[in-house]
Amino acid sequence: MPDKAFALRAGRHLGPTVVAAVILIGFAFANPGVTNLALGVNIGVAAIAAVGLTLTIGGAGQLALGQAGFMAIGAYGTSYLMLDREMAFLPALILGVVLALVVGVLVGYIALRLSGHYLAMATLAVGTAIHAFLMLPGPLGGANGYAPIPFPEIFGYKILDPRDQYLLVAVTLVLVLLGSRWLLSARMGRELAALRDDEVAARSVGVNITARKVQIFAISAAIGALAGGVNAPLQTAIDPSLFSTAISIQLFVMVILGGLGNIYGAVFGAALVTWLIAEVPGSGSWALTVLGVVVVVFMAVLPDGLSGVPRIGRALLGRFRRGPGSGATITEVSK
């Protein structure tokens, strides 16, 4: 059973998740239209993957750039089991997530010997290798993609309506937020923070560095696979381009714009990046150009990402309340 201190910590952070749940689920009943629901699905899927990546980068300070590869494992694993093995959606999804978790454990062991940009390159190589494997001709369709994937069916109810599809993604995102907030509030979250701040100091106070690195990479991979596994049946067709290196970079940008270590900021970052890519006219290169400008502006104006906006707002409000003459004063010192 959790102790009282843990219960209080978890309770303090439950409020933002409840607010997020009300907004995310309430959006489906605000008559948003099919186009907006489809955009909401894309934002929700990106947000799930970005939250998982935030746990690794912001929570544990491990620079990872291969999240799209884990999304691919979940998407292709779930789709293959549903289409070729005629397995139900939920068992197929669970097995796809477990497969990604196993791969995440292997990547975690790689992370034990690497850090900084070396770790980033290693994780990027893992994601690129997964993408290259999917491009090979074979039962997964190669470059032509994999289709037709059956629509998800839960307890006999087939999810065909766009609103139901959005709700599936929204509920999944809320559950991921709850689980991530619980993890960061528990002892493991504090040990991950210690690992992020100073690995040597964390080891000196008894933190099991090996276990924590492996665990956080496995959890992040599982969450990424969950995003891909939920999304694939909703799209009915997938191909390797959906899980390329560019997608991993976009997820990394979502985490940076949202604010390192802030899972709610990752959701806002995912919404901003996905919306920009969808709404900027012209080819995808224009969207990426605009995204690059946005990143530069954010780094100059909001170095802490969107999660730093409340802090800046409180600082400005405090300065406004103190008035223009409330700055430092010069006191004359008598001789």
Side-chain angles (χ1 to χ4, degrees), residues 136-157:
L136 298 175
L140 297 180
N144 295 324
Y146 191 69
I149 306 168
F151 282 102
E153 184 174 335
I154 300 178
F155 302 122
Y157 182 76

Side-chain angles (χ1 to χ4, degrees), residues 46 59 77 124 143 243 287 327:
L124 185 63
F243 313 104

Side-chain angles (χ1 to χ4, degrees), residues 85-151:
R85 301 301 177 182
E86 299 182 353
M87 187 177 291
F89 168 64
L90 287 180
L93 177 63
I94 292 172
L95 289 177
V97 169
V98 170
L99 177 60
L101 190 147
V102 172
V103 177
V105 169
L106 298 177
V107 175
Y109 277 106
I110 294 175
L112 296 177
R113 297 180 175 275
L114 300 173
S115 62
H117 61 280
Y118 294 106
L119 177 59
M121 292 299 101
T123 54
L124 185 63
V126 171
T128 303
I130 294 173
H131 178 262
F133 173 78
L134 296 176
M135 291 290 291
L136 298 175
L140 297 180
N144 295 324
Y146 191 69
I149 306 168
F151 282 102

Side-chain angles (χ1 to χ4, degrees), residues 4-317:
K4 293 182 179 180
F6 168 74
L8 289 174
R9 286 193 302 271
R12 283 199 304 267
H13 298 294
L14 186 61
T17 307
V18 172
V19 173
V22 171
I23 295 174
L24 291 170
I25 297 175
F27 175 76
F29 300 96
N31 195 25
V34 176
T35 301
N36 289 329
L37 285 171
L39 178 61
V41 168
N42 293 335
I43 290 175
V45 169
I48 294 170
V51 169
L53 188 59
T54 298
L55 295 178
T56 303
I57 298 178
Q62 304 298 300
L63 190 56
L65 296 177
Q67 189 73 338
F70 298 120
M71 291 181 67
I73 293 175
Y76 275 88
T78 303
S79 302
Y80 176 80
L81 292 173
M82 290 179 66
L83 180 57
D84 284 25
R85 301 301 177 182
E86 299 182 353
M87 187 177 291
F89 168 64
L90 287 180
L93 177 63
I94 292 172
L95 289 177
V97 169
V98 170
L99 177 60
L101 190 147
V102 172
V103 177
V105 169
L106 298 177
V107 175
Y109 277 106
I110 294 175
L112 296 177
R113 297 180 175 275
L114 300 173
S115 62
H117 61 280
Y118 294 106
L119 177 59
M121 292 299 101
T123 54
L124 185 63
V126 171
T128 303
I130 294 173
H131 178 262
F133 173 78
L134 296 176
M135 291 290 291
L136 298 175
L140 297 180
N144 295 324
Y146 191 69
I149 306 168
F151 282 102
E153 184 174 335
I154 300 178
F155 302 122
Y157 182 76
K158 185 167 289 188
I159 302 177
L160 298 173
D161 186 77
R163 178 179 293 176
D164 293 337
Q165 294 180 357
Y166 169 81
L167 283 173
L168 173 63
V169 174
V171 170
T172 303
L173 174 57
V174 170
L175 293 176
V176 168
L177 288 173
L178 280 172
S180 300
R181 189 65 264 175
W182 175 84
L183 184 149
L184 293 175
S185 300
R187 177 178 177 178
M188 180 178 178
R190 300 193 298 275
E191 291 186 350
L192 290 174
L195 169 63
R196 176 195 63 210
D197 295 337
D198 192 324
E199 183 174 330
V200 176
R203 191 186 302 274
S204 67
V205 296
V207 176
N208 189 332
I209 301 298
T210 300
R212 291 300 178 234
K213 281 189 176 182
V214 172
Q215 288 167 356
I216 199 60
F217 271 98
I219 292 172
S220 178
I223 295 176
L226 180 64
V230 168
N231 187 46
L234 300 180
Q235 306 301 325
T236 70
I238 54 177
D239 65 82
S241 66
L242 300 174
F243 313 104
S244 63
T245 301
I247 303 301
S248 289
I249 300 300
Q250 288 176 21
L251 291 170
F252 177 73
V253 170
M254 294 173 191
V255 173
I256 297 300
L257 295 183
L260 289 176
N262 191 304
I263 58 175
Y264 306 106
V267 176
F268 285 110
L272 176 60
V273 172
T274 305
W275 178 81
L276 279 174
I277 293 175
E279 296 298 325
V280 172
S283 62
S285 59
W286 277 109
L288 295 178
T289 300
V290 173
L291 181 59
V293 174
V294 169
V295 171
V296 172
V297 172
F298 262 72
M299 293 301 98
V301 179
L302 292 171
D304 294 330
L306 291 171
S307 63
V309 172
R311 179 181 58 80
I312 295 176
R314 288 193 297 268
L316 292 177
L317 182 60

